[in-house]
PDB file of all heavy atoms in Angstrom:
ATOM      1  N   LEU A 608       6.589  55.556 -14.562  1.00 98.00           N
ATOM      2  CA  LEU A 608       6.780  54.965 -15.838  1.00 98.00           C
ATOM      3  C   LEU A 608       7.952  53.976 -15.711  1.00 98.00           C
ATOM      4  O   LEU A 608       9.044  54.388 -15.403  1.00 98.00           O
ATOM      5  CB  LEU A 608       7.119  56.044 -16.875  1.00 98.00           C
ATOM      6  CG  LEU A 608       6.229  57.248 -16.956  1.00 98.00           C
ATOM      7  CD1 LEU A 608       6.833  58.279 -17.927  1.00 98.00           C
ATOM      8  CD2 LEU A 608       4.804  56.987 -17.349  1.00 98.00           C
ATOM      9  N   LEU A 609       7.596  52.724 -15.870  1.00 98.00           N
ATOM     10  CA  LEU A 609       8.720  51.692 -15.695  1.00 98.00           C
ATOM     11  C   LEU A 609       9.070  51.090 -17.030  1.00 98.00           C
ATOM     12  O   LEU A 609       8.175  50.609 -17.781  1.00 98.00           O
ATOM     13  CB  LEU A 609       8.170  50.622 -14.771  1.00 98.00           C
ATOM     14  CG  LEU A 609       7.769  51.078 -13.373  1.00 98.00           C
ATOM     15  CD1 LEU A 609       7.448  49.884 -12.531  1.00 98.00           C
ATOM     16  CD2 LEU A 609       8.782  51.986 -12.739  1.00 98.00           C
ATOM     17  N   ALA A 610      10.339  51.207 -17.382  1.00 97.00           N
ATOM     18  CA  ALA A 610      10.829  50.707 -18.679  1.00 97.00           C
ATOM     19  C   ALA A 610      11.618  49.459 -18.600  1.00 97.00           C
ATOM     20  O   ALA A 610      12.359  49.239 -17.625  1.00 97.00           O
ATOM     21  CB  ALA A 610      11.752  51.835 -19.288  1.00 97.00           C
ATOM     22  N   GLY A 611      11.415  48.540 -19.593  1.00 95.00           N
ATOM     23  CA  GLY A 611      12.155  47.317 -19.571  1.00 95.00           C
ATOM     24  C   GLY A 611      11.824  46.511 -20.787  1.00 95.00           C
ATOM     25  O   GLY A 611      10.977  46.866 -21.618  1.00 95.00           O
ATOM     26  N   ARG A 612      12.496  45.311 -20.949  1.00 93.00           N
ATOM     27  CA  ARG A 612      12.252  44.460 -22.062  1.00 93.00           C
ATOM     28  C   ARG A 612      10.970  43.690 -21.949  1.00 93.00           C
ATOM     29  O   ARG A 612      10.374  43.260 -22.930  1.00 93.00           O
ATOM     30  CB  ARG A 612      13.438  43.593 -22.209  1.00 93.00           C
ATOM     31  CG  ARG A 612      14.725  44.217 -22.747  1.00 93.00           C
ATOM     32  CD  ARG A 612      15.884  43.256 -22.792  1.00 93.00           C
ATOM     33  NE  ARG A 612      16.343  42.849 -21.461  1.00 93.00           N
ATOM     34  CZ  ARG A 612      17.379  42.111 -21.195  1.00 93.00           C
ATOM     35  NH1 ARG A 612      18.136  41.735 -22.201  1.00 93.00           N
ATOM     36  NH2 ARG A 612      17.744  41.762 -19.981  1.00 93.00           N
ATOM     37  N   SER A 613      10.567  43.380 -20.721  1.00 95.00           N
ATOM     38  CA  SER A 613       9.330  42.578 -20.484  1.00 95.00           C
ATOM     39  C   SER A 613       8.340  43.219 -19.575  1.00 95.00           C
ATOM     40  O   SER A 613       8.600  43.434 -18.377  1.00 95.00           O
ATOM     41  CB  SER A 613       9.786  41.211 -19.866  1.00 95.00           C
ATOM     42  OG  SER A 613       8.662  40.461 -19.419  1.00 95.00           O
ATOM     43  N   GLU A 614       7.202  43.557 -20.190  1.00 97.00           N
ATOM     44  CA  GLU A 614       6.144  44.090 -19.333  1.00 97.00           C
ATOM     45  C   GLU A 614       5.616  43.114 -18.384  1.00 97.00           C
ATOM     46  O   GLU A 614       5.365  43.509 -17.183  1.00 97.00           O
ATOM     47  CB  GLU A 614       4.966  44.511 -20.289  1.00 97.00           C
ATOM     48  CG  GLU A 614       3.793  45.145 -19.506  1.00 97.00           C
ATOM     49  CD  GLU A 614       2.680  45.627 -20.335  1.00 97.00           C
ATOM     50  OE1 GLU A 614       2.695  45.438 -21.552  1.00 97.00           O
ATOM     51  OE2 GLU A 614       1.723  46.227 -19.730  1.00 97.00           O
ATOM     52  N   GLN A 615       5.539  41.832 -18.736  1.00 97.00           N
ATOM     53  CA  GLN A 615       5.048  40.797 -17.812  1.00 97.00           C
ATOM     54  C   GLN A 615       5.916  40.662 -16.576  1.00 97.00           C
ATOM     55  O   GLN A 615       5.404  40.531 -15.468  1.00 97.00           O
ATOM     56  CB  GLN A 615       4.976  39.466 -18.560  1.00 97.00           C
ATOM     57  CG  GLN A 615       4.238  38.367 -17.710  1.00 97.00           C
ATOM     58  CD  GLN A 615       2.818  38.819 -17.391  1.00 97.00           C
ATOM     59  OE1 GLN A 615       2.059  39.175 -18.295  1.00 97.00           O
ATOM     60  NE2 GLN A 615       2.432  38.755 -16.128  1.00 97.00           N
ATOM     61  N   ARG A 616       7.270  40.751 -16.808  1.00 95.00           N
ATOM     62  CA  ARG A 616       8.177  40.673 -15.685  1.00 95.00           C
ATOM     63  C   ARG A 616       7.969  41.816 -14.715  1.00 95.00           C
ATOM     64  O   ARG A 616       7.999  41.595 -13.434  1.00 95.00           O
ATOM     65  CB  ARG A 616       9.656  40.664 -16.173  1.00 95.00           C
ATOM     66  CG  ARG A 616      10.679  40.480 -15.020  1.00 95.00           C
ATOM     67  CD  ARG A 616      12.064  40.531 -15.580  1.00 95.00           C
ATOM     68  NE  ARG A 616      13.049  40.386 -14.542  1.00 95.00           N
ATOM     69  CZ  ARG A 616      14.327  40.608 -14.669  1.00 95.00           C
ATOM     70  NH1 ARG A 616      14.846  40.892 -15.876  1.00 95.00           N
ATOM     71  NH2 ARG A 616      15.214  40.436 -13.676  1.00 95.00           N
ATOM     72  N   LEU A 617       7.720  42.969 -15.176  1.00 97.00           N
ATOM     73  CA  LEU A 617       7.491  44.089 -14.373  1.00 97.00           C
ATOM     74  C   LEU A 617       6.140  43.992 -13.623  1.00 97.00           C
ATOM     75  O   LEU A 617       6.077  44.285 -12.406  1.00 97.00           O
ATOM     76  CB  LEU A 617       7.489  45.441 -15.213  1.00 97.00           C
ATOM     77  CG  LEU A 617       8.827  45.975 -15.601  1.00 97.00           C
ATOM     78  CD1 LEU A 617       8.656  46.955 -16.773  1.00 97.00           C
ATOM     79  CD2 LEU A 617       9.534  46.680 -14.442  1.00 97.00           C
ATOM     80  N   ARG A 618       5.131  43.524 -14.370  1.00 97.00           N
ATOM     81  CA  ARG A 618       3.805  43.333 -13.716  1.00 97.00           C
ATOM     82  C   ARG A 618       3.933  42.291 -12.570  1.00 97.00           C
ATOM     83  O   ARG A 618       3.392  42.457 -11.434  1.00 97.00           O
ATOM     84  CB  ARG A 618       2.791  42.878 -14.732  1.00 97.00           C
ATOM     85  CG  ARG A 618       2.542  43.868 -15.826  1.00 97.00           C
ATOM     86  CD  ARG A 618       1.738  45.039 -15.437  1.00 97.00           C
ATOM     87  NE  ARG A 618       1.557  45.989 -16.510  1.00 97.00           N
ATOM     88  CZ  ARG A 618       1.193  47.293 -16.254  1.00 97.00           C
ATOM     89  NH1 ARG A 618       0.900  47.709 -15.075  1.00 97.00           N
ATOM     90  NH2 ARG A 618       1.053  48.118 -17.244  1.00 97.00           N
ATOM     91  N   ASP A 619       4.665  41.206 -12.849  1.00 95.00           N
ATOM     92  CA  ASP A 619       4.810  40.124 -11.884  1.00 95.00           C
ATOM     93  C   ASP A 619       5.571  40.632 -10.633  1.00 95.00           C
ATOM     94  O   ASP A 619       5.247  40.273  -9.528  1.00 95.00           O
ATOM     95  CB  ASP A 619       5.522  38.945 -12.507  1.00 95.00           C
ATOM     96  CG  ASP A 619       4.742  38.167 -13.511  1.00 95.00           C
ATOM     97  OD1 ASP A 619       3.468  38.397 -13.581  1.00 95.00           O
ATOM     98  OD2 ASP A 619       5.305  37.367 -14.265  1.00 95.00           O
ATOM     99  N   ARG A 620       6.578  41.427 -10.927  1.00 95.00           N
ATOM    100  CA  ARG A 620       7.490  41.912  -9.757  1.00 95.00           C
ATOM    101  C   ARG A 620       6.700  42.818  -8.808  1.00 95.00           C
ATOM    102  O   ARG A 620       6.776  42.750  -7.607  1.00 95.00           O
ATOM    103  CB  ARG A 620       8.641  42.698 -10.352  1.00 95.00           C
ATOM    104  CG  ARG A 620       9.565  43.342  -9.329  1.00 95.00           C
ATOM    105  CD  ARG A 620      10.145  42.333  -8.255  1.00 95.00           C
ATOM    106  NE  ARG A 620      10.949  43.058  -7.263  1.00 95.00           N
ATOM    107  CZ  ARG A 620      10.442  43.669  -6.189  1.00 95.00           C
ATOM    108  NH1 ARG A 620       9.104  43.729  -6.049  1.00 95.00           N
ATOM    109  NH2 ARG A 620      11.224  44.212  -5.405  1.00 95.00           N
ATOM    110  N   PHE A 621       5.803  43.689  -9.300  1.00 97.00           N
ATOM    111  CA  PHE A 621       5.140  44.699  -8.511  1.00 97.00           C
ATOM    112  C   PHE A 621       3.680  44.505  -8.267  1.00 97.00           C
ATOM    113  O   PHE A 621       3.038  45.350  -7.640  1.00 97.00           O
ATOM    114  CB  PHE A 621       5.451  46.058  -9.129  1.00 97.00           C
ATOM    115  CG  PHE A 621       6.880  46.464  -9.105  1.00 97.00           C
ATOM    116  CD1 PHE A 621       7.563  46.526 -10.326  1.00 97.00           C
ATOM    117  CD2 PHE A 621       7.594  46.749  -7.965  1.00 97.00           C
ATOM    118  CE1 PHE A 621       8.920  46.856 -10.303  1.00 97.00           C
ATOM    119  CE2 PHE A 621       8.909  47.041  -7.975  1.00 97.00           C
ATOM    120  CZ  PHE A 621       9.611  47.074  -9.162  1.00 97.00           C
ATOM    121  N   ARG A 622       3.177  43.361  -8.740  1.00 96.00           N
ATOM    122  CA  ARG A 622       1.709  43.114  -8.584  1.00 96.00           C
ATOM    123  C   ARG A 622       1.290  43.115  -7.129  1.00 96.00           C
ATOM    124  O   ARG A 622       0.323  43.797  -6.760  1.00 96.00           O
ATOM    125  CB  ARG A 622       1.290  41.848  -9.254  1.00 96.00           C
ATOM    126  CG  ARG A 622      -0.215  41.521  -9.128  1.00 96.00           C
ATOM    127  CD  ARG A 622      -0.583  40.277  -9.897  1.00 96.00           C
ATOM    128  NE  ARG A 622      -0.455  40.477 -11.300  1.00 96.00           N
ATOM    129  CZ  ARG A 622       0.476  39.846 -12.057  1.00 96.00           C
ATOM    130  NH1 ARG A 622       1.337  38.990 -11.524  1.00 96.00           N
ATOM    131  NH2 ARG A 622       0.559  40.059 -13.346  1.00 96.00           N
ATOM    132  N   LYS A 623       2.011  42.379  -6.320  1.00 95.00           N
ATOM    133  CA  LYS A 623       1.665  42.225  -4.861  1.00 95.00           C
ATOM    134  C   LYS A 623       1.865  43.577  -4.100  1.00 95.00           C
ATOM    135  O   LYS A 623       1.330  43.678  -3.011  1.00 95.00           O
ATOM    136  CB  LYS A 623       2.327  41.082  -4.259  1.00 95.00           C
ATOM    137  CG  LYS A 623       1.904  39.718  -4.790  1.00 95.00           C
ATOM    138  CD  LYS A 623       2.626  38.613  -4.068  1.00 95.00           C
ATOM    139  CE  LYS A 623       2.158  37.255  -4.637  1.00 95.00           C
ATOM    140  NZ  LYS A 623       2.837  36.105  -3.985  1.00 95.00           N
ATOM    141  N   ALA A 624       2.668  44.428  -4.639  1.00 96.00           N
ATOM    142  CA  ALA A 624       2.859  45.746  -3.998  1.00 96.00           C
ATOM    143  C   ALA A 624       1.670  46.708  -4.339  1.00 96.00           C
ATOM    144  O   ALA A 624       1.593  47.743  -3.713  1.00 96.00           O
ATOM    145  CB  ALA A 624       4.140  46.323  -4.385  1.00 96.00           C
ATOM    146  N   GLY A 625       0.942  46.304  -5.370  1.00 96.00           N
ATOM    147  CA  GLY A 625      -0.163  47.242  -5.757  1.00 96.00           C
ATOM    148  C   GLY A 625       0.381  48.436  -6.501  1.00 96.00           C
ATOM    149  O   GLY A 625      -0.294  49.492  -6.547  1.00 96.00           O
ATOM    150  N   THR A 626       1.523  48.354  -7.108  1.00 97.00           N
ATOM    151  CA  THR A 626       2.152  49.507  -7.784  1.00 97.00           C
ATOM    152  C   THR A 626       1.398  49.762  -9.070  1.00 97.00           C
ATOM    153  O   THR A 626       1.228  48.850  -9.969  1.00 97.00           O
ATOM    154  CB  THR A 626       3.616  49.211  -8.096  1.00 97.00           C
ATOM    155  OG1 THR A 626       4.261  48.864  -6.877  1.00 97.00           O
ATOM    156  CG2 THR A 626       4.281  50.355  -8.780  1.00 97.00           C
ATOM    157  N   GLU A 627       0.987  51.036  -9.324  1.00 97.00           N
ATOM    158  CA  GLU A 627       0.397  51.423 -10.510  1.00 97.00           C
ATOM    159  C   GLU A 627       1.431  52.100 -11.409  1.00 97.00           C
ATOM    160  O   GLU A 627       2.115  52.985 -10.960  1.00 97.00           O
ATOM    161  CB  GLU A 627      -0.776  52.361 -10.229  1.00 97.00           C
ATOM    162  CG  GLU A 627      -1.924  51.749  -9.430  1.00 97.00           C
ATOM    163  CD  GLU A 627      -3.006  52.731  -9.131  1.00 97.00           C
ATOM    164  OE1 GLU A 627      -2.855  53.972  -9.470  1.00 97.00           O
ATOM    165  OE2 GLU A 627      -4.027  52.365  -8.544  1.00 97.00           O
ATOM    166  N   PHE A 628       1.565  51.682 -12.624  1.00 98.00           N
ATOM    167  CA  PHE A 628       2.586  52.258 -13.546  1.00 98.00           C
ATOM    168  C   PHE A 628       2.229  52.087 -14.984  1.00 98.00           C
ATOM    169  O   PHE A 628       1.358  51.227 -15.365  1.00 98.00           O
ATOM    170  CB  PHE A 628       3.988  51.628 -13.285  1.00 98.00           C
ATOM    171  CG  PHE A 628       4.107  50.141 -13.637  1.00 98.00           C
ATOM    172  CD1 PHE A 628       4.426  49.751 -14.858  1.00 98.00           C
ATOM    173  CD2 PHE A 628       3.792  49.173 -12.636  1.00 98.00           C
ATOM    174  CE1 PHE A 628       4.532  48.431 -15.229  1.00 98.00           C
ATOM    175  CE2 PHE A 628       3.885  47.831 -12.980  1.00 98.00           C
ATOM    176  CZ  PHE A 628       4.277  47.482 -14.279  1.00 98.00           C
ATOM    177  N   THR A 629       2.843  52.836 -15.786  1.00 97.00           N
ATOM    178  CA  THR A 629       2.747  52.760 -17.246  1.00 97.00           C
ATOM    179  C   THR A 629       3.974  52.034 -17.794  1.00 97.00           C
ATOM    180  O   THR A 629       5.083  52.392 -17.416  1.00 97.00           O
ATOM    181  CB  THR A 629       2.634  54.157 -17.932  1.00 97.00           C
ATOM    182  OG1 THR A 629       1.467  54.782 -17.446  1.00 97.00           O
ATOM    183  CG2 THR A 629       2.537  53.984 -19.445  1.00 97.00           C
ATOM    184  N   TYR A 630       3.834  51.018 -18.578  1.00 97.00           N
ATOM    185  CA  TYR A 630       4.919  50.296 -19.127  1.00 97.00           C
ATOM    186  C   TYR A 630       5.533  50.995 -20.358  1.00 97.00           C
ATOM    187  O   TYR A 630       4.812  51.428 -21.263  1.00 97.00           O
ATOM    188  CB  TYR A 630       4.544  48.931 -19.491  1.00 97.00           C
ATOM    189  CG  TYR A 630       5.637  48.153 -20.270  1.00 97.00           C
ATOM    190  CD1 TYR A 630       6.790  47.794 -19.707  1.00 97.00           C
ATOM    191  CD2 TYR A 630       5.366  47.811 -21.662  1.00 97.00           C
ATOM    192  CE1 TYR A 630       7.827  47.122 -20.393  1.00 97.00           C
ATOM    193  CE2 TYR A 630       6.417  47.106 -22.375  1.00 97.00           C
ATOM    194  CZ  TYR A 630       7.591  46.755 -21.723  1.00 97.00           C
ATOM    195  OH  TYR A 630       8.537  46.079 -22.430  1.00 97.00           O
ATOM    196  N   ILE A 631       6.862  51.129 -20.375  1.00 96.00           N
ATOM    197  CA  ILE A 631       7.590  51.615 -21.578  1.00 96.00           C
ATOM    198  C   ILE A 631       8.573  50.619 -22.031  1.00 96.00           C
ATOM    199  O   ILE A 631       9.460  50.194 -21.266  1.00 96.00           O
ATOM    200  CB  ILE A 631       8.385  52.964 -21.168  1.00 96.00           C
ATOM    201  CG1 ILE A 631       7.445  53.970 -20.443  1.00 96.00           C
ATOM    202  CG2 ILE A 631       9.038  53.572 -22.336  1.00 96.00           C
ATOM    203  CD1 ILE A 631       6.365  54.549 -21.363  1.00 96.00           C
ATOM    204  N   PRO A 632       8.458  50.138 -23.268  1.00 95.00           N
ATOM    205  CA  PRO A 632       9.384  49.187 -23.770  1.00 95.00           C
ATOM    206  C   PRO A 632      10.811  49.792 -23.935  1.00 95.00           C
ATOM    207  O   PRO A 632      10.917  50.842 -24.472  1.00 95.00           O
ATOM    208  CB  PRO A 632       8.862  48.757 -25.149  1.00 95.00           C
ATOM    209  CG  PRO A 632       7.932  49.931 -25.504  1.00 95.00           C
ATOM    210  CD  PRO A 632       7.439  50.515 -24.272  1.00 95.00           C
ATOM    211  N   PHE A 633      11.796  49.052 -23.441  1.00 95.00           N
ATOM    212  CA  PHE A 633      13.189  49.532 -23.499  1.00 95.00           C
ATOM    213  C   PHE A 633      14.147  48.406 -23.421  1.00 95.00           C
ATOM    214  O   PHE A 633      14.038  47.530 -22.542  1.00 95.00           O
ATOM    215  CB  PHE A 633      13.428  50.573 -22.386  1.00 95.00           C
ATOM    216  CG  PHE A 633      14.825  51.065 -22.228  1.00 95.00           C
ATOM    217  CD1 PHE A 633      15.412  51.833 -23.227  1.00 95.00           C
ATOM    218  CD2 PHE A 633      15.658  50.722 -21.192  1.00 95.00           C
ATOM    219  CE1 PHE A 633      16.736  52.301 -23.184  1.00 95.00           C
ATOM    220  CE2 PHE A 633      16.955  51.173 -21.040  1.00 95.00           C
ATOM    221  CZ  PHE A 633      17.460  51.962 -22.081  1.00 95.00           C
ATOM    222  N   ASP A 634      15.207  48.420 -24.301  1.00 94.00           N
ATOM    223  CA  ASP A 634      16.245  47.474 -24.264  1.00 94.00           C
ATOM    224  C   ASP A 634      17.567  48.241 -24.263  1.00 94.00           C
ATOM    225  O   ASP A 634      17.888  48.950 -25.304  1.00 94.00           O
ATOM    226  CB  ASP A 634      16.204  46.458 -25.486  1.00 94.00           C
ATOM    227  CG  ASP A 634      17.226  45.349 -25.380  1.00 94.00           C
ATOM    228  OD1 ASP A 634      18.267  45.540 -24.739  1.00 94.00           O
ATOM    229  OD2 ASP A 634      17.030  44.344 -26.027  1.00 94.00           O
ATOM    230  N   ALA A 635      18.350  48.108 -23.224  1.00 92.00           N
ATOM    231  CA  ALA A 635      19.586  48.969 -23.112  1.00 92.00           C
ATOM    232  C   ALA A 635      20.580  48.612 -24.073  1.00 92.00           C
ATOM    233  O   ALA A 635      21.575  49.402 -24.409  1.00 92.00           O
ATOM    234  CB  ALA A 635      20.180  48.828 -21.689  1.00 92.00           C
ATOM    235  N   THR A 636      20.462  47.459 -24.726  1.00 90.00           N
ATOM    236  CA  THR A 636      21.566  46.976 -25.751  1.00 90.00           C
ATOM    237  C   THR A 636      21.171  47.510 -27.186  1.00 90.00           C
ATOM    238  O   THR A 636      21.923  47.240 -28.123  1.00 90.00           O
ATOM    239  CB  THR A 636      21.724  45.520 -25.758  1.00 90.00           C
ATOM    240  OG1 THR A 636      20.457  44.823 -26.097  1.00 90.00           O
ATOM    241  CG2 THR A 636      22.092  44.973 -24.326  1.00 90.00           C
ATOM    242  N   LYS A 637      20.023  48.116 -27.325  1.00 91.00           N
ATOM    243  CA  LYS A 637      19.559  48.633 -28.602  1.00 91.00           C
ATOM    244  C   LYS A 637      19.338  50.085 -28.595  1.00 91.00           C
ATOM    245  O   LYS A 637      18.906  50.680 -27.565  1.00 91.00           O
ATOM    246  CB  LYS A 637      18.251  47.905 -29.039  1.00 91.00           C
ATOM    247  CG  LYS A 637      18.395  46.329 -29.124  1.00 91.00           C
ATOM    248  CD  LYS A 637      17.123  45.654 -29.476  1.00 91.00           C
ATOM    249  CE  LYS A 637      17.237  44.163 -29.580  1.00 91.00           C
ATOM    250  NZ  LYS A 637      15.984  43.518 -29.968  1.00 91.00           N
ATOM    251  N   THR A 638      19.619  50.732 -29.724  1.00 85.00           N
ATOM    252  CA  THR A 638      19.496  52.165 -29.790  1.00 85.00           C
ATOM    253  C   THR A 638      18.007  52.599 -29.836  1.00 85.00           C
ATOM    254  O   THR A 638      17.135  51.808 -30.290  1.00 85.00           O
ATOM    255  CB  THR A 638      20.225  52.724 -30.987  1.00 85.00           C
ATOM    256  OG1 THR A 638      19.654  52.146 -32.168  1.00 85.00           O
ATOM    257  CG2 THR A 638      21.645  52.476 -30.948  1.00 85.00           C
ATOM    258  N   GLY A 639      17.713  53.785 -29.292  1.00 84.00           N
ATOM    259  CA  GLY A 639      16.412  54.304 -29.380  1.00 84.00           C
ATOM    260  C   GLY A 639      15.590  54.171 -28.196  1.00 84.00           C
ATOM    261  O   GLY A 639      15.810  53.253 -27.360  1.00 84.00           O
TER     262      GLY A 639
END
């Protein structure tokens, strides 16, 4: 489960590695 502000950035970063993951929206500067 990979968390971050941008799903596209995560997809772009690990696409060529063939990494399978579930995206979780997360911003460290915001609560929740």
Side-chain angles (χ1 to χ4, degrees):
L608 312 173
L609 304 186
R612 289 176 292 185
S613 170
E614 180 177 4
Q615 190 60 52
R616 184 181 178 190
L617 284 162
R618 299 288 176 195
D619 290 344
R620 173 61 182 79
F621 295 110
R622 180 176 293 112
K623 291 183 179 178
T626 303
E627 297 177 355
F628 66 89
T629 299
Y630 170 68
I631 307 295
F633 175 66
D634 186 337
T636 65
K637 298 178 181 178
T638 58

